[in-house]
Amino acid sequence: MSSLTTTEAGQATRARRRRRLTAFLFVVPLLAFILVTFVAPIASMLWRSVHHPTVAELIPQTLGQLQRWDGQATPDRDTLDTFARELHGLAGERLSGKLAEELNRAYAGMSSVVKSSARQVGRLDAGQLQAKGADTLLDAHRNWSRPDVWHAIQRAGQRYTYDYYLTALDLQLHPEQGLQVREDTQIYLQLYGKTLKMALVITLLCALLGYPLAYYLANLPERRANLLLVMVLLPFWTSLLVRTTAWIALLQTNGVINSLLLGIGLIGTPFEMLYTSFATVVAMTHILLPFMVLPLYSVMRGIDPSYLRAAMSLGAKPLPAFARVYFPMTLPGLSAGALLVFIISVGYYITPALVGGTDGQMISNIIAFHMQRSNNWELAAALGSLLLAVILLLYWLYDRFVGVSNIKLG
């Protein structure tokens, strides 16, 4: 009897293991999808923001010589000769432009200096390079005699650096004065603040527009509510690019809105609405409104209307009854909609790029600029990492003061 019980227990254990393995195998494609499309890109972004071996691979011998430099005056002739030889080799391999691009990020104006110096050093043969490589370099441009330039080369040559995070925070590390706020360009922190402000305004507008609409839909008969809900979902069936382009036609100087206002005599001159923050906020509110309506509608649909009627039958007026009874029960849906709209709007790119112009651009547009035009992927990765950190911080604050467990999507 005991042996039979042991056998049955073993069979039951093996059956449970098979069920768990089967369930896990069904989940494996989803886990692989998340790993490839979510975890790997974020890990790559974080790695790129601190790892930058380009300069170290282009001029390794010069960086080795600079390790014994005292940092006070111009490096010695051996270091300059070494750099001249490596610059000569880069010019022959047509890599001096890459070095110029990298050093220009560390010290403004170095692109033309490196390129012109590479041309002059490149004309020297091996004997001339050995005899007067340092002199040719110093004659090519006065920047090669400046210690701060070589400090910048040292920083650019670090394989692992936090300089891109300093740049993303509008900070710079001065060799003598330490950490300082950049005096020439202070754009990134302003853009972060502008992005968060615009995302907050869009979230509030979506809540103000979406709450009455969701309330109206939730109190309609089911057939009519479903029909109107299809109208709410209709924008999802249209391309985002088409919806954004439609706003260009509406908001431009000779567009539909200005033509209508001029035609009925309300204004004398057309408004400048396109390529402004106003255009970005309006277009994104229209695009993201369904993300607020749907969570609110699903929560409101599950609220029993008798609660509100009971409160009014006990003497409460409609507005206090709504504020004290109905509204608190809709907070889970409102929280879910607000969180969805805010997080999506913080990282939006297409709509601000098309209708926002310079005034209405957000931090995502600057990240795209550094990836597509300036080819500074490391700075783009640092900006993206800081944006991710800001979102996680706001999510943590939301969870601490409101509670993520209170969110309901339906």
Side-chain angles (χ1 to χ4, degrees), residues 300-314:
M300 288 177 176
R301 198 71 183 175
I303 298 175
D304 193 343
S306 62
Y307 293 148
L308 201 56
R309 291 196 297 266
M312 288 189 289
S313 67
L314 293 173

Side-chain angles (χ1 to χ4, degrees), residues 171-362:
L171 299 173
Q172 61 182 354
L173 187 62
H174 194 275
E176 296 179 358
Q177 301 174 6
L179 201 61
Q180 291 183 322
V181 177
R182 287 181 178 271
E183 298 179 357
D184 51 349
T185 55
Q186 297 181 22
I187 58 172
Y188 298 120
L189 286 181
Q190 292 179 3
L191 268 175
Y192 276 116
K194 183 179 180 181
T195 299
L196 294 175
K197 179 182 176 181
M198 291 176 67
L200 183 61
V201 170
I202 292 166
T203 304
L204 291 175
L205 287 175
C206 285
L208 290 174
L209 295 173
Y211 197 96
L213 177 59
Y215 179 78
Y216 176 71
L217 292 174
N219 288 277
L220 282 177
E222 187 173 354
R223 181 175 297 180
R224 291 180 60 191
N226 290 338
L227 178 62
L228 292 178
L229 196 60
V230 170
M231 304 300 291
V232 173
L233 293 172
L234 196 59
F236 284 130
W237 303 342
T238 308
S239 168
L240 174 64
L241 190 60
V242 172
R243 283 179 280 164
T244 305
T245 307
W247 278 108
I248 296 177
L250 288 170
L251 296 174
Q252 61 186 346
T253 305
N254 298 320
V256 176
I257 296 177
N258 273 320
S259 299
L260 178 62
L261 295 176
L262 286 170
I264 61 179
L266 284 181
I267 59 174
T269 56
F271 289 122
E272 295 291 337
M273 293 182 287
L274 193 60
Y275 306 128
T276 61
S277 298
F278 170 78
T280 300
V281 169
V282 169
M284 288 181 62
T285 300
H286 163 248
I287 291 168
L288 297 177
L289 186 59
F291 290 99
M292 179 67 74
V293 173
L294 293 177
L296 278 170
Y297 171 76
S298 7
V299 170
M300 288 177 176
R301 198 71 183 175
I303 298 175
D304 193 343
S306 62
Y307 293 148
L308 201 56
R309 291 196 297 266
M312 288 189 289
S313 67
L314 293 173
K317 293 183 179 180
L319 239 88
F322 179 87
R324 298 183 63 180
V325 177
Y326 190 84
F327 181 75
M329 289 191 289
T330 63
L331 282 179
L334 185 62
S335 301
L339 201 61
L340 279 173
V341 171
F342 185 84
I343 290 178
I344 293 174
S345 59
V346 163
Y348 235 63
Y349 164 69
I350 294 178
T351 303
L354 291 179
V355 304
T358 304
D359 185 52
Q361 68 180 354
M362 302 171 77

Side-chain angles (χ1 to χ4, degrees), residues 52-69:
H52 186 59
T54 306
V55 176
E57 293 171 353
L58 291 174
I59 51 171
Q61 297 177 18
T62 302
L63 295 173
Q65 292 276 7
L66 286 175
Q67 290 181 358
R68 56 183 180 79
W69 176 47

Side-chain angles (χ1 to χ4, degrees), residues 16-58:
R16 283 196 299 271
R17 288 176 180 172
R18 282 196 298 270
R19 286 196 298 270
R20 289 175 183 172
L21 180 61
T22 303
F24 176 73
L25 290 176
F26 277 113
V27 177
V28 163
L30 177 60
L31 293 177
F33 177 79
I34 293 174
L35 182 66
V36 172
T37 62
F38 185 74
V39 177
I42 289 180
S44 174
M45 177 183 69
L46 294 173
W47 177 249
R48 276 181 175 271
S49 65
V50 296
H51 181 244
H52 186 59
T54 306
V55 176
E57 293 171 353
L58 291 174

Side-chain angles (χ1 to χ4, degrees), residues 162-175:
Y162 52 84
D163 281 358
Y164 294 105
Y165 283 99
L166 294 181
T167 303
L169 293 171
D170 292 326
L171 299 173
Q172 61 182 354
L173 187 62
H174 194 275

